[in-house]
Amino acid sequence: MTSLVAGGAQICIFRTGHGTPIGHPCCPVVKMASNSRVFHVMPGDMDINAGEIPEGKTLEEVGKQIISLIQAVANGQETAAEQNLQGGIWGMYAFSRSF
């Protein structure tokens, strides 16, 4: 994520299937659980449950939810990571190209 922020990203969307709750110190990170199990085990750490797609919600419905949340975050709403003070860490080193 640090490379994305260094490249100018204002909001990051992080998809996780394992439940990584950490954010980033320089921009809001929207956490998107790729499965409902992670979303329900970590309800205060995830912002979006994309696991609802294979459970019957349409891609369009979840997509609208994602866009709506990104707009709200751009207007000042805190993400779960920000609410939990999980500001993240700087990861400025790399062993390979980031892009």
Side-chain angles (χ1 to χ4, degrees), residues 61-81:
E61 289 174 313
V62 175
K64 286 180 180 179
Q65 184 182 3
I66 293 168
I67 290 169
S68 176
L69 180 60
I70 291 169
Q71 290 171 334
V73 169
N75 284 314
Q77 178 178 314
E78 289 187 333
T79 65

Side-chain angles (χ1 to χ4, degrees), residues 1-20:
M1 282 188 294
T2 298
S3 297
L4 295 171
V5 174
Q10 301 297 308
I11 297 172
C12 289
I13 303 170
F14 186 82
R15 187 236 11 114
T16 181
H18 298 289
T20 307

Side-chain angles (χ1 to χ4, degrees), residues 2 7 20 27 31 33 41 46 49 53 57 60 67-68 71 73 85:
T2 298
T20 307
C27 82
K31 297 314 234 23
V41 170
M46 299 292 126
N49 181 11
I53 295 169
K57 265 197 175 177
E60 184 177 346
I67 290 169
S68 176
Q71 290 171 334
V73 169
L85 303 176

Side-chain angles (χ1 to χ4, degrees), residues 14-21 31-42 46 48-51:
F14 186 82
R15 187 236 11 114
T16 181
H18 298 289
T20 307
K31 297 314 234 23
M32 183 167 49
S34 63
N35 62 73
S36 292
R37 183 189 63 79
V38 168
F39 185 80
H40 294 298
V41 170
M42 303 179 75
M46 299 292 126
I48 299 280
N49 181 11

Side-chain angles (χ1 to χ4, degrees), residues 20-25 31 44-45 80-89:
T20 307
I22 200 163
H24 194 277
K31 297 314 234 23
D45 292 310
E82 291 173 308
Q83 292 170 3
N84 296 328
L85 303 176
Q86 297 163 331
I89 57 173

